[in-house]
């Protein structure tokens, strides 16, 4: 995986920004000059901005964006894993859609994080972002299976549901809540991925569908990405590794969110 691909999904400043000199060291960590680092981030941001612009060219969709029940001055906190943390993710596209309305979107996605890992830092995250809305797209790493036999998910279904409910309980006093189900994968692409092969990480759509079924039973609005992507995922919506959506897939997530809330 190239430095640019790592940078697309991995943002150490979110995890270790409190360390002295971290911001200045980031280009070196990724093996880049400051100019290269800045230009790559700007390029992904431009893709997200252009995606938003293209979506708003559809008058019906633009009307839906205008009808979203968010108010100027409000903050939306998007939490999730690398699918959210992606520099051209649905959260970044949504930021460009809502910025003209004076709505702040904070991308709180953390690559490789499970529900348990996010729960550990959740009170501090809420205190820093002070959101009016939380969009929760966690669970994709909970269902990751690791090792030669891939005997079990990293986090059991029961524990994943318990963690999600606890995130909701803690955050519910300060914010309105929207859930997103995990995104289906293309298992053959996962198997062929050198990165996942080296780490012996695999995903099964059966695990994803099981967790999605639990999430769809929650009381708050749910964006069903198993329906939006299909099971297995549509080839054009998933990326080369079978797990991280293409830009078209990220747009599909954004579109599903807007349609669900309107």
């Amino acid at each position: 995986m190239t430095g640019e691909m790592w940078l697309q999904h991995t943002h150490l400043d979110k995890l270790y920004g409190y360390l002295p000199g971290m911001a200045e060291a980031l280009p070196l960590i990724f093996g880049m000059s400051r100019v290269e680092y800045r230009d790559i981030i700007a390029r992904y941001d431009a893709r997200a901005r252009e995606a938003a612009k293209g979506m708003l060219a559809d008058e019906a969709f633009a009307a839906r964006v205008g009808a979203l029940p968010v108010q100027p001055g409000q903050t939306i906190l998007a939490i999730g894993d690398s699918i959210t943390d992606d520099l051209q993710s649905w959260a970044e596209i949504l930021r460009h859609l809502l910025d003209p309305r004076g709505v702040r979107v904070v991308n709180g996605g953390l690559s490789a994080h499970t529900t348990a890992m996010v729960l550990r830092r959740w009170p501090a995250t809420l205190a820093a972002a002070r959101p009016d809305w939380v969009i929760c797209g966690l669970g994709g790493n909970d269902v990751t299976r690791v090792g030669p036999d891939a005997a079990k998910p990293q986090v059991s279904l029961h524990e994943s549901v318990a963690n999600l409910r606890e995130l909701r309980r803690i955050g519910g006093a300060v914010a309105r809540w929207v859930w997103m189900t995990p995104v289906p994968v293309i298992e053959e692409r996962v198997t062929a991925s050198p990165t996942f092969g080296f780490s012996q990480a695999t995903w099964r759509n059966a695990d994803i569908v099981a967790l999605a079924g639990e999430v769809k039973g929650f009381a708050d609005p749910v964006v069903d990405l198993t329906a939006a992507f299909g099971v297995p995922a549509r080839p054009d919506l998933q990326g080369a590794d079978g797990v991280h959506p293409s830009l078209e897939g990220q747009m599909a997530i954004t579109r599903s969110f807007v349609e669900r809330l309107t």
Side-chain angles (χ1 to χ4, degrees), residues 143-167:
V143 300
T144 309
R145 292 173 179 254
V146 181
D149 298 322
K152 62 175 290 294
Q154 286 194 99
V155 182
S156 71
L157 179 61
H158 174 79
E159 189 67 14
S160 293
V161 172
N163 289 338
L164 291 171
R165 290 190 181 280
E166 188 65 4
L167 287 164

mmCIF file of all heavy atoms in Angstrom, residues 143-167:
data_model
loop_
_atom_site.group_PDB
_atom_site.id
_atom_site.type_symbol
_atom_site.label_atom_id
_atom_site.label_comp_id
_atom_site.label_asym_id
_atom_site.label_seq_id
_atom_site.Cartn_x
_atom_site.Cartn_y
_atom_site.Cartn_z
ATOM 1 N N VAL A 143 -16.786 -7.082 13.136
ATOM 2 C CA VAL A 143 -17.035 -8.353 12.445
ATOM 3 C C VAL A 143 -15.805 -8.864 11.696
ATOM 4 O O VAL A 143 -15.873 -9.922 11.063
ATOM 5 C CB VAL A 143 -18.224 -8.234 11.472
ATOM 6 C CG1 VAL A 143 -19.485 -7.855 12.218
ATOM 7 C CG2 VAL A 143 -17.938 -7.218 10.364
ATOM 8 N N THR A 144 -14.684 -8.147 11.768
ATOM 9 C CA THR A 144 -13.460 -8.650 11.149
ATOM 10 C C THR A 144 -13.031 -9.943 11.824
ATOM 11 O O THR A 144 -13.022 -10.039 13.052
ATOM 12 C CB THR A 144 -12.314 -7.625 11.288
ATOM 13 O OG1 THR A 144 -12.764 -6.357 10.835
ATOM 14 C CG2 THR A 144 -11.107 -8.047 10.482
ATOM 15 N N ARG A 145 -12.673 -10.924 11.028
ATOM 16 C CA ARG A 145 -12.120 -12.175 11.553
ATOM 17 C C ARG A 145 -10.623 -12.200 11.252
ATOM 18 O O ARG A 145 -10.201 -11.801 10.171
ATOM 19 C CB ARG A 145 -12.821 -13.381 10.919
ATOM 20 C CG ARG A 145 -14.280 -13.520 11.354
ATOM 21 C CD ARG A 145 -15.002 -14.617 10.601
ATOM 22 N NE ARG A 145 -16.380 -14.746 11.045
ATOM 23 C CZ ARG A 145 -16.838 -15.752 11.812
ATOM 24 N NH1 ARG A 145 -16.018 -16.716 12.200
ATOM 25 N NH2 ARG A 145 -18.102 -15.783 12.177
ATOM 26 N N VAL A 146 -9.837 -12.668 12.213
ATOM 27 C CA VAL A 146 -8.388 -12.602 12.097
ATOM 28 C C VAL A 146 -7.773 -13.975 12.352
ATOM 29 O O VAL A 146 -8.201 -14.699 13.247
ATOM 30 C CB VAL A 146 -7.805 -11.585 13.110
ATOM 31 C CG1 VAL A 146 -6.295 -11.501 12.985
ATOM 32 C CG2 VAL A 146 -8.428 -10.207 12.892
ATOM 33 N N GLY A 147 -6.757 -14.303 11.554
ATOM 34 C CA GLY A 147 -6.015 -15.530 11.776
ATOM 35 C C GLY A 147 -6.269 -16.580 10.713
ATOM 36 O O GLY A 147 -7.177 -16.443 9.889
ATOM 37 N N PRO A 148 -5.472 -17.636 10.727
ATOM 38 C CA PRO A 148 -5.566 -18.651 9.659
ATOM 39 C C PRO A 148 -6.885 -19.403 9.632
ATOM 40 O O PRO A 148 -7.335 -19.831 8.583
ATOM 41 C CB PRO A 148 -4.390 -19.595 9.980
ATOM 42 C CG PRO A 148 -4.090 -19.362 11.433
ATOM 43 C CD PRO A 148 -4.398 -17.926 11.690
ATOM 44 N N ASP A 149 -7.529 -19.556 10.773
ATOM 45 C CA ASP A 149 -8.801 -20.269 10.808
ATOM 46 C C ASP A 149 -10.000 -19.329 10.815
ATOM 47 O O ASP A 149 -11.124 -19.769 10.580
ATOM 48 C CB ASP A 149 -8.865 -21.177 12.041
ATOM 49 C CG ASP A 149 -7.787 -22.240 12.025
ATOM 50 O OD1 ASP A 149 -7.502 -22.755 10.927
ATOM 51 O OD2 ASP A 149 -7.221 -22.520 13.095
ATOM 52 N N ALA A 150 -9.752 -18.041 11.107
ATOM 53 C CA ALA A 150 -10.819 -17.022 11.140
ATOM 54 C C ALA A 150 -12.027 -17.527 11.915
ATOM 55 O O ALA A 150 -13.157 -17.485 11.451
ATOM 56 C CB ALA A 150 -11.208 -16.626 9.720
ATOM 57 N N ALA A 151 -11.772 -18.001 13.133
ATOM 58 C CA ALA A 151 -12.797 -18.719 13.879
ATOM 59 C C ALA A 151 -13.895 -17.818 14.428
ATOM 60 O O ALA A 151 -15.029 -18.268 14.611
ATOM 61 C CB ALA A 151 -12.145 -19.485 15.024
ATOM 62 N N LYS A 152 -13.570 -16.543 14.698
ATOM 63 C CA LYS A 152 -14.568 -15.691 15.354
ATOM 64 C C LYS A 152 -14.360 -14.242 14.956
ATOM 65 O O LYS A 152 -13.250 -13.822 14.614
ATOM 66 C CB LYS A 152 -14.453 -15.811 16.878
ATOM 67 C CG LYS A 152 -13.103 -15.344 17.419
ATOM 68 C CD LYS A 152 -13.061 -15.367 18.933
ATOM 69 C CE LYS A 152 -13.917 -14.313 19.573
ATOM 70 N NZ LYS A 152 -13.432 -12.927 19.299
ATOM 71 N N PRO A 153 -15.413 -13.435 15.005
ATOM 72 C CA PRO A 153 -15.240 -11.992 14.822
ATOM 73 C C PRO A 153 -14.435 -11.399 15.979
ATOM 74 O O PRO A 153 -14.370 -11.978 17.067
ATOM 75 C CB PRO A 153 -16.679 -11.455 14.827
ATOM 76 C CG PRO A 153 -17.547 -12.637 14.558
ATOM 77 C CD PRO A 153 -16.830 -13.813 15.150
ATOM 78 N N GLN A 154 -13.848 -10.215 15.741
ATOM 79 C CA GLN A 154 -13.086 -9.569 16.817
ATOM 80 C C GLN A 154 -13.969 -9.284 18.026
ATOM 81 O O GLN A 154 -13.528 -9.406 19.168
ATOM 82 C CB GLN A 154 -12.480 -8.249 16.332
ATOM 83 C CG GLN A 154 -11.301 -8.405 15.400
ATOM 84 C CD GLN A 154 -10.550 -7.086 15.254
ATOM 85 O OE1 GLN A 154 -9.531 -6.860 15.898
ATOM 86 N NE2 GLN A 154 -11.057 -6.217 14.394
ATOM 87 N N VAL A 155 -15.205 -8.858 17.765
ATOM 88 C CA VAL A 155 -16.155 -8.556 18.834
ATOM 89 C C VAL A 155 -17.419 -9.362 18.557
ATOM 90 O O VAL A 155 -17.914 -9.389 17.423
ATOM 91 C CB VAL A 155 -16.488 -7.048 18.877
ATOM 92 C CG1 VAL A 155 -17.436 -6.733 20.034
ATOM 93 C CG2 VAL A 155 -15.211 -6.217 19.000
ATOM 94 N N SER A 156 -17.930 -10.029 19.579
ATOM 95 C CA SER A 156 -19.124 -10.848 19.374
ATOM 96 C C SER A 156 -20.317 -9.966 19.039
ATOM 97 O O SER A 156 -20.352 -8.771 19.347
ATOM 98 C CB SER A 156 -19.423 -11.664 20.636
ATOM 99 O OG SER A 156 -19.899 -10.811 21.674
ATOM 100 N N LEU A 157 -21.310 -10.569 18.413
ATOM 101 C CA LEU A 157 -22.525 -9.839 18.061
ATOM 102 C C LEU A 157 -23.181 -9.248 19.305
ATOM 103 O O LEU A 157 -23.589 -8.080 19.314
ATOM 104 C CB LEU A 157 -23.496 -10.765 17.324
ATOM 105 C CG LEU A 157 -24.834 -10.154 16.900
ATOM 106 C CD1 LEU A 157 -24.625 -8.994 15.949
ATOM 107 C CD2 LEU A 157 -25.725 -11.230 16.251
ATOM 108 N N HIS A 158 -23.263 -10.029 20.353
ATOM 109 C CA HIS A 158 -23.878 -9.557 21.597
ATOM 110 C C HIS A 158 -23.136 -8.346 22.143
ATOM 111 O O HIS A 158 -23.752 -7.342 22.550
ATOM 112 C CB HIS A 158 -23.888 -10.681 22.634
ATOM 113 C CG HIS A 158 -24.364 -10.250 23.985
ATOM 114 N ND1 HIS A 158 -25.698 -10.094 24.298
ATOM 115 C CD2 HIS A 158 -23.672 -9.915 25.123
ATOM 116 C CE1 HIS A 158 -25.811 -9.691 25.548
ATOM 117 N NE2 HIS A 158 -24.606 -9.571 26.071
ATOM 118 N N GLU A 159 -21.803 -8.391 22.156
ATOM 119 C CA GLU A 159 -21.013 -7.296 22.706
ATOM 120 C C GLU A 159 -21.060 -6.063 21.806
ATOM 121 O O GLU A 159 -21.081 -4.928 22.296
ATOM 122 C CB GLU A 159 -19.561 -7.745 22.923
ATOM 123 C CG GLU A 159 -18.701 -6.754 23.686
ATOM 124 C CD GLU A 159 -19.134 -6.576 25.135
ATOM 125 O OE1 GLU A 159 -19.926 -7.392 25.641
ATOM 126 O OE2 GLU A 159 -18.683 -5.609 25.767
ATOM 127 N N SER A 160 -21.085 -6.275 20.490
ATOM 128 C CA SER A 160 -21.210 -5.141 19.575
ATOM 129 C C SER A 160 -22.491 -4.372 19.846
ATOM 130 O O SER A 160 -22.497 -3.131 19.934
ATOM 131 C CB SER A 160 -21.204 -5.622 18.119
ATOM 132 O OG SER A 160 -19.959 -6.150 17.751
ATOM 133 N N VAL A 161 -23.593 -5.092 19.969
ATOM 134 C CA VAL A 161 -24.888 -4.445 20.229
ATOM 135 C C VAL A 161 -24.858 -3.724 21.570
ATOM 136 O O VAL A 161 -25.335 -2.589 21.694
ATOM 137 C CB VAL A 161 -26.026 -5.482 20.179
ATOM 138 C CG1 VAL A 161 -27.347 -4.866 20.645
ATOM 139 C CG2 VAL A 161 -26.164 -6.037 18.766
ATOM 140 N N ALA A 162 -24.258 -4.351 22.580
ATOM 141 C CA ALA A 162 -24.167 -3.724 23.891
ATOM 142 C C ALA A 162 -23.328 -2.445 23.830
ATOM 143 O O ALA A 162 -23.673 -1.427 24.446
ATOM 144 C CB ALA A 162 -23.569 -4.698 24.905
ATOM 145 N N ASN A 163 -22.229 -2.477 23.085
ATOM 146 C CA ASN A 163 -21.376 -1.287 22.961
ATOM 147 C C ASN A 163 -22.107 -0.154 22.232
ATOM 148 O O ASN A 163 -22.011 1.016 22.624
ATOM 149 C CB ASN A 163 -20.097 -1.635 22.203
ATOM 150 C CG ASN A 163 -19.154 -2.503 23.012
ATOM 151 O OD1 ASN A 163 -19.223 -2.534 24.242
ATOM 152 N ND2 ASN A 163 -18.265 -3.205 22.333
ATOM 153 N N LEU A 164 -22.808 -0.505 21.158
ATOM 154 C CA LEU A 164 -23.557 0.517 20.419
ATOM 155 C C LEU A 164 -24.639 1.146 21.298
ATOM 156 O O LEU A 164 -24.831 2.369 21.282
ATOM 157 C CB LEU A 164 -24.182 -0.097 19.165
ATOM 158 C CG LEU A 164 -23.204 -0.519 18.068
ATOM 159 C CD1 LEU A 164 -23.917 -1.315 16.982
ATOM 160 C CD2 LEU A 164 -22.502 0.689 17.461
ATOM 161 N N ARG A 165 -25.315 0.331 22.062
ATOM 162 C CA ARG A 165 -26.353 0.865 22.951
ATOM 163 C C ARG A 165 -25.740 1.762 24.031
ATOM 164 O O ARG A 165 -26.345 2.758 24.431
ATOM 165 C CB ARG A 165 -27.147 -0.281 23.581
ATOM 166 C CG ARG A 165 -28.037 -1.032 22.585
ATOM 167 C CD ARG A 165 -28.978 -1.981 23.291
ATOM 168 N NE ARG A 165 -29.818 -2.720 22.374
ATOM 169 C CZ ARG A 165 -30.922 -2.245 21.795
ATOM 170 N NH1 ARG A 165 -31.319 -1.004 22.069
ATOM 171 N NH2 ARG A 165 -31.635 -2.993 20.979
ATOM 172 N N GLU A 166 -24.543 1.415 24.489
ATOM 173 C CA GLU A 166 -23.893 2.232 25.508
ATOM 174 C C GLU A 166 -23.420 3.564 24.928
ATOM 175 O O GLU A 166 -23.527 4.614 25.582
ATOM 176 C CB GLU A 166 -22.715 1.471 26.127
ATOM 177 C CG GLU A 166 -22.080 2.151 27.326
ATOM 178 C CD GLU A 166 -23.007 2.262 28.531
ATOM 179 O OE1 GLU A 166 -24.154 1.749 28.485
ATOM 180 O OE2 GLU A 166 -22.585 2.886 29.525
ATOM 181 N N LEU A 167 -22.914 3.542 23.705
ATOM 182 C CA LEU A 167 -22.584 4.793 23.030
ATOM 183 C C LEU A 167 -23.822 5.686 22.937
ATOM 184 O O LEU A 167 -23.754 6.892 23.185
ATOM 185 C CB LEU A 167 -22.046 4.505 21.626
ATOM 186 C CG LEU A 167 -20.641 3.921 21.518
ATOM 187 C CD1 LEU A 167 -20.418 3.339 20.115
ATOM 188 C CD2 LEU A 167 -19.587 4.982 21.810
#
